[in-house]
Amino acid sequence: MNILRPFSKPFLSSVGGLALYCVTALLLGFSASASAHQECAAPGCAASEPYHGMPAIAAIGARTGKYMEIPEAAKGPSIDPAKGYRIQELGRGLYMVTDNVYQAMFVVHEKGVVLADAPPPLAGFIAKAIREVTGKPITHIIYSHAHVDHIGAAGQLLATLPRRPVIIAHEETQTILARARDPKRPLPGVTFRDKYTLKVGGQRLDLSYHGNGHEPGNIFILAPEQRTLMVVDVIFPGWMPWRRLALAQDIPGYFKQVEKIKSMDFDWLVSGHVARAGTKTDVAMQHEFLQDLKEAAGKALQNTALGEGMDARDQSNPWAVFDNYIDRVAAQCVNALTPKWASRLAAFDVYIWDQCFTMEQSLRLD
Ligand SMILES: [Zn+2]
C-alpha cells in the first residue's frame, strides 16, 4: 500500500535529515508533528498545501487542541455530583430525569408510573428518581425508538420489578428489536402503526408516528395536558445536532420531521439529549440552522468545479476526483456557516464538517 511508503528504506535513510529538520523547525517555532506531516510526500499523504480557503475549524480526523466554549444558553441547571442526576417537573405528574447528557421521562398516574425510555447512562438513576416523587410501581415502558443508547437499560430495569410492565413501541421498533435479539432491549408487548393513545390513571399520552426522521420507528410522545412533547434524537436544544444530523437515515425525512415539530403546539420538548429541556425557540433555531446548512451546501455544490487543483495523474481516478470535489464543497459550506453559527450553537466546531458532508451528499443523491 502506498500509504506505508513513509516507512520504506529511502525514508529511514533520511531520518537523520528529518531530525535536523525537526530541530530547525522547533527553533523556528513549528511543532514536531507539523514537520513530520510536511515530510510525508508519498502518495496518499496529506498535501503540504491545504485547500484554498481551508476553514480554521479542524476537519474530520484532525486533532483539535481546544474545542470552542459552550454558550451559556446551551447549559442546563447544575447536577448534584453526589446524586449524578436531576429531575425536573414539566407538568402535573410529568418529570424529566437527566444526567445533563441523556434524558428520559416519566408520568405518575393514579396506580403507577409510565416510563418513556431507559438510557444505560441513567440505569442507576431512574428507579431513584421515580422514588423521589412516588412509591408507585412502573406499569408501562414506552420505547421512543430502538437505539440501544436510549432503551438499553430496559432489560436490567425489568429484572428488578416485581411485575412486568407493558412495553409499548412502534411496529418498526419491534422489527428492529426482533432482529437484534438483545436481552438489554426486551420486545414490546404492544405495538402500533400510526397512532396510539395511552389513557391510564387520569393521565394521557398520545403516541404517533411521522416517518423515518432518525431511524424507522422513532415516535412522538405528546402529553397534551402537560404541553410536553418527547421526540428523541431529532432536536438538540442549544446544541449542534450529533454528527451526520444525528445519524438520520433519511435526510429529507429528517428535515420534514423538524418542520412537523416546529408546527406543533407545546411548551416543553424532551429531546433525549443535552443539558436541558427544549422549547419552541430551540426548535425554531435548529430549523433555521438546517435551512442555512442546506443553502450553504447547495451553493457550494454549484460554485465548485470538479478536479480543480488536483495532480493531473489523478484525473483518471474518479473516486479521487470526487473526494477532492466533496472536500472543497464541505470547506466552502463550513466557511459559509461559521460566522453566524459558531457562537450560537454549542459544539458547532465538533460536528460542522460532518453536517456539511451529510448535507452535500443528500443534495446530490436524494
Ligand atoms: Zn437514536
Side-chain angles (χ1 to χ4, degrees):
M1 295 285 285
N2 288 338
I3 202 84
L4 297 176
R5 274 214 207 152
F7 305 104
S8 65
K9 268 185 183 171
F11 176 79
L12 290 174
S13 69
S14 72
V15 161
L18 179 64
L20 184 64
Y21 179 89
C22 285
V23 170
T24 315
L26 280 170
L27 288 173
L28 290 170
F30 293 119
S31 72
S33 65
S35 65
H37 170 81
Q38 285 164 11
E39 278 299 295
C40 178
C45 280
S48 55
E49 285 291 318
Y51 292 114
H52 176 69
M54 189 64 179
I57 293 171
I60 292 170
R63 184 180 175 194
T64 298
K66 166 71 182 80
Y67 291 94
M68 288 176 174
E69 297 299 329
I70 294 168
E72 282 305 313
K75 294 177 182 169
S78 62
I79 285 192
D80 177 356
K83 277 174 70 177
Y85 69 93
R86 65 182 179 87
I87 58 174
Q88 182 175 352
E89 186 169 13
L90 301 176
R92 183 182 65 88
L94 185 150
Y95 300 83
M96 178 178 75
V97 50
T98 181
D99 59 356
N100 278 8
V101 179
Y102 275 88
Q103 300 170 351
M105 183 174 93
F106 63 92
V107 180
V108 182
H109 60 88
E110 283 160 11
K111 292 182 179 145
V113 173
V114 179
L115 172 68
D117 280 0
L122 302 183
F125 305 142
I126 286 171
K128 284 183 198 164
I130 291 172
R131 276 203 302 275
E132 275 191 46
V133 293
T134 180
K136 294 171 187 169
I138 296 173
T139 55
H140 301 75
I141 299 177
I142 299 168
Y143 291 163
S144 67
H145 65 303
H147 280 159
V148 72
D149 67 318
H150 289 277
I151 62 167
Q156 189 183 334
L157 188 64
L158 246 58
T160 67
L161 302 177
R163 284 191 63 181
R164 189 183 172 95
V166 177
I167 301 178
I168 306 167
H170 189 264
E171 58 185 25
E172 293 272 15
T173 298
Q174 185 187 41
T175 303
I176 295 166
L177 294 179
R179 186 183 64 181
R181 296 170 152 273
D182 179 2
K184 295 195 289 293
R185 294 173 285 171
L187 289 177
V190 174
T191 60
F192 68 97
R193 179 170 293 180
D194 299 319
K195 287 180 179 175
Y196 182 88
T197 299
L198 177 65
K199 282 187 187 169
V200 57
Q203 293 283 19
R204 172 180 175 148
L205 292 171
D206 292 330
L207 281 48
S208 57
Y209 187 55
H210 303 273
N212 184 4
H214 172 57
E215 73 160 350
N218 198 32
I219 58 169
F220 289 27
I221 304 162
L222 179 70
E225 183 200 316
Q226 291 86 353
R227 296 182 54 77
T228 297
L229 175 68
M230 180 171 181
V231 183
V232 171
D233 286 345
V234 176
I235 303 287
F236 296 80
W239 286 73
M240 180 66 111
W242 175 257
R243 66 187 294 258
R244 297 196 162 256
L245 298 179
L247 307 180
Q249 293 178 17
D250 174 2
I251 302 302
Y254 172 77
F255 272 71
K256 203 174 131 203
Q257 202 149 97
V258 173
E259 294 278 358
K260 173 69 189 169
I261 296 168
K262 188 168 174 270
S263 76
M264 290 174 72
D265 187 25
F266 58 86
D267 292 333
W268 291 111
L269 179 75
V270 177
S271 59
H273 280 288
V274 308
R276 59 174 176 79
T279 61
K280 293 276 292 187
T281 307
D282 294 312
V283 179
M285 185 156 150
Q286 183 163 322
H287 179 266
E288 187 183 341
F289 168 72
L290 291 172
Q291 300 312 307
D292 287 357
L293 174 67
K294 194 172 181 179
E295 192 186 319
K299 276 189 184 163
L301 283 166
Q302 278 176 7
N303 298 340
T304 305
L306 273 174
E308 233 170 45
M310 291 186 74
D311 188 309
R313 292 165 294 179
D314 286 327
Q315 296 285 355
S316 60
N317 177 344
W319 271 214
V321 169
F322 266 88
D323 180 57
N324 169 283
Y325 170 70
I326 290 165
D327 280 353
R328 288 182 291 120
V329 166
Q332 261 198 60
C333 168
V334 172
N335 280 334
L337 294 167
T338 299
K340 177 173 170 184
W341 290 101
S343 60
R344 284 181 79 190
L345 285 176
F348 174 87
D349 54 332
V350 181
Y351 289 133
I352 188 56
W353 281 95
D354 276 291
Q355 319 303 24
C356 282
F357 278 116
T358 300
M359 196 71 246
E360 66 74 24
Q361 177 173 280
S362 175
L363 290 175
R364 279 187 301 109
L365 302 179
D366 290 330

